Amino acid sequence: MKKKLLILMLVPFLVAFQCESNDPAPFDNLESTGLLGSWEIQNEILNGNISDMIPRCCEFLEFDPDDNIRDNIGLLTYNDTQGLVNSGTFEVDLNNQTILFIDDDNDQLLITYSIDETQGTLTIDFTEGDTIITQDWARIN
């Protein structure tokens, strides 16, 4: 009887301290978009004209997943070296290759995007007022 009691007491401890599972980490839907990570601006075109010949730098986009791995919604932060930070959420429409960015002030911006995985570049197009803006961004991690 004592032997059976000892086994009954040991079994829960053995189960509780099992080795780590071989299950892979959950896959976030946003990973398939190629957007997740950090990007630095490379150039900007305004209404079809290069904005200036000075190389662009020091503006960054950071795409992060949110807590729901099954949706196409994440967190987006824009910042530059002058201290400007704009953050909020984004939602990707895979069929139209668009991103709807809603910042913390509830301002919305619809962005068309394309990614060249071999070059590690992200191209975005959006409109501000009457200006059509095209920007190229390089993946930095």
Side-chain angles (χ1 to χ4, degrees), residues 52-116:
D52 56 38
M53 298 306 288
I54 299 171
R56 303 286 299 204
C57 81
C58 311
E59 294 178 44
F60 303 94
L61 293 176
E62 178 75 34
F63 290 90
D64 293 308
D66 64 1
D67 293 334
N68 186 347
I69 65 171
R70 290 182 177 84
D71 64 11
N72 289 334
I73 298 173
L75 308 172
L76 176 59
T77 303
Y78 165 87
N79 63 63
D80 64 20
T81 57
Q82 297 164 355
L84 176 64
V85 176
N86 192 8
S87 58
T89 60
F90 71 96
E91 183 170 5
V92 177
D93 181 338
L94 296 171
N95 294 328
N96 295 320
Q97 291 286 123
T98 59
I99 301 167
L100 177 60
F101 173 60
I102 303 172
D103 71 10
D104 292 338
D105 295 327
N106 283 327
D107 294 326
Q108 296 184 10
L109 180 64
L110 186 62
I111 302 166
T112 303
Y113 77 95
S114 64
I115 294 178
D116 184 337

